[in-house]
Amino acid sequence: MAAAPDPARPRFPDSDVEQDPGAAAQKLTVAMEQKPDDAEYYCQRAYAHILLQNYCDAVADAKKSLELNPNNATAFLRKGISEYHIKNYASALESFKEGQKLDNVDTFTIWIKRCEETLNTGSQTEMTTGQQTQPSKVKYDWYQTESQVIVTLMIKNAQKDDITVQFSEKELNAFVRLPSGEDYNLKLVLLHSIVPEQSTFKVLSTKIEIKMKKPEAIRWEKLEGKGDSPKLKQYTSDSKHLYPSSSHYTRNWDKLVVEIKEEEKNEKLEGDAALNKLFQQIYSDGTDEVKRAMNKSFMESGGTVLSTNWSDVGKRKVDVNPPDDMEWKKF
């Protein structure tokens, strides 16, 4: 006879994690202090990290969940998705194949096919070029407000799925797959501490904007360094909005912002680029429920469905739904 469930054991279903992944991750961390060997807790916190785009943390939690319970197909799925987003395609493919052995559902088949296509494309590119090309030089600048430090990467037409930004207390790490197919990495050791949980990034057609939350309103004299200075200046707003920059000159950011917005406004996109820009705009301007709906529908359907209706997709599993002119086949 199976043991009765422990009524005192907190549970964290997918719906709770999707509603507020940040709060769910914190609650799961507290619960794991009481039950450090609970495989389900690690698996659910991995899901929260995926929704928060903390993919490296998600991989670590999924691995721990599988150490505690090697027969959890969901943990393999979440490990694979996280590895895919940090561009570790070979490991992601292996995770999806292992998960498929435990639960042969369409979701695994879709992700396996996607990994194989990505790996095959990469191999063909390497054979054609004969050598790995160096990434193009990417310019970046920074400025600050009373509450945030903002780093701007001057990269046009980057796709959000090709970007991973990791925040720690005194470090910023950004990985970008450029439209040219090259990989770009920006790693900064910051002058002062930030609040990782309240730091975000936004993708626009002409740039990537990374906003790091300050724990207190102090003025940063520079972006990188050890930050050992005992005399920290309190932030005072500058009427001309002239902020420290990584360049060797002072830049009028008000003028730059106006120029970038005008460039974005006048930019004309077609085909997939226009559609991707539309999806990015919907996600950027959407409510938390819209963002949860888009994340959940895209993940569960293997990228074949993108819904903004949380009242619909929040109550069910989103099935695979290929276009009408295509036939889905299992491999």
Side-chain angles (χ1 to χ4, degrees), residues 5 42 63 74 274 331:
Y42 281 100
K63 284 182 177 179
T74 301
F331 290 83

Side-chain angles (χ1 to χ4, degrees), residues 2 13 16 74 76 84 106 117 133 148 153 162 167 187 189 191 205 215 236 243 245 262 267 270 285 289 298 320 326:
D16 288 356
T74 301
F76 276 114
Y84 183 90
D106 288 342
E117 289 176 347
T133 58
Q148 294 179 322
L153 304 181
D162 293 334
F167 302 99
K187 184 174 182 179
V189 177
L191 179 66
S205 60
T236 54
Y243 302 108
S245 170
E262 187 65 25
E267 183 179 30
E270 298 178 355
D285 297 339
E289 286 193 352
F298 186 84
V320 177
M326 296 180 65

Side-chain angles (χ1 to χ4, degrees), residues 40 49 61 142 165 174 200 229 241 245 251 271 278 307-308:
E40 182 182 349
H49 283 313
D61 276 353
W142 75 283
V165 180
T200 61
S229 175
H241 293 81
S245 170
R251 172 168 292 183
L278 174 62
S307 172
T308 59

